[in-house]
Amino acid sequence: MISKTLKLGVLAIAIFAISFVDAQERQRQHRPSPKELFQKLDTNDDGALSLDEFKNKRQREEIKEETVGEHFDELDTNADGFLSLEEFIASKELMKQKRVEKRFSEMDKDGNGTVDLEEYKSFIENHKKERPKRKHNRH
């Protein structure tokens, strides 16, 4: 018979392991807000992103310098050579809108500009099948 102390010890280790794994999963799922990302990129804390600050982040992600410059110019809507927080947030919102539009067009199989119940069900079923693959490919 296993002693109560040993049982409590095993239980404590199991609880610790579960909470540790849960904390790691929550940390992986946290995506920084546009403001948090902006502050992270703004290395000199002047409230604006220079092209150099933008390039430093992007070069670590191994993106070609010319592509970075083009992307920066697209985001710098007032062409002053800096990204303001407002420009940065607007770019993030635009990217989010494009993802939503893409997702909607994936659902709208017949291309009529609306999604009926059958199209929606089909979309959900296809994504249920794909979801485990995405999680598996991340690791």
Side-chain angles (χ1 to χ4, degrees):
M1 180 180 234
I2 299 176
S3 73
K4 286 183 181 180
T5 306
L6 184 56
K7 286 181 183 178
L8 287 174
V10 170
L11 179 62
I13 291 170
I15 291 171
F16 173 76
I18 290 169
S19 41
F20 179 75
V21 169
D22 185 51
Q24 285 183 321
E25 186 63 30
R26 275 184 280 148
Q27 185 178 13
R28 264 187 250 133
Q29 290 176 351
H30 174 71
R31 288 188 177 158
S33 70
K35 188 173 183 174
E36 290 171 330
L37 185 55
F38 182 88
Q39 289 170 340
K40 183 178 178 182
L41 294 173
D42 184 16
T43 55
N44 65 2
D45 294 322
D46 65 352
L49 293 182
S50 68
L51 180 57
D52 288 336
E53 288 171 319
F54 192 74
K55 281 181 181 178
N56 285 338
K57 166 68 171 128
R58 293 300 183 171
Q59 285 176 343
R60 279 186 257 135
E61 295 177 2
E62 299 177 7
I63 298 175
K64 292 181 183 178
E65 187 171 334
E66 63 191 43
T67 305
V68 172
E70 291 169 9
H71 190 211
F72 184 87
D73 290 343
E74 288 174 17
L75 301 177
D76 182 17
T77 56
N78 65 0
D80 67 353
F82 296 93
L83 293 180
S84 67
L85 178 58
E86 291 77 20
E87 288 171 317
F88 191 75
I89 289 173
S91 71
K92 291 294 181 187
E93 289 301 316
L94 181 60
M95 286 185 260
K96 184 177 178 181
Q97 181 180 347
K98 287 180 180 181
R99 284 192 305 269
V100 169
E101 289 172 358
K102 181 181 177 200
R103 176 76 42 102
F104 184 85
S105 67
E106 289 173 9
M107 284 190 277
D108 183 18
K109 292 292 185 190
D110 61 11
N112 68 352
T114 61
V115 175
D116 63 30
L117 181 57
E118 292 305 313
E119 289 171 319
Y120 184 74
K121 284 180 182 178
S122 173
F123 177 80
I124 295 300
E125 286 302 314
N126 287 337
H127 272 69
K128 281 182 184 177
K129 293 174 188 172
E130 292 174 11
R131 189 166 228 159
K133 292 178 191 173
R134 287 186 201 151
K135 285 183 180 178
H136 180 69
N137 288 339
R138 284 185 187 167
H139 302 288

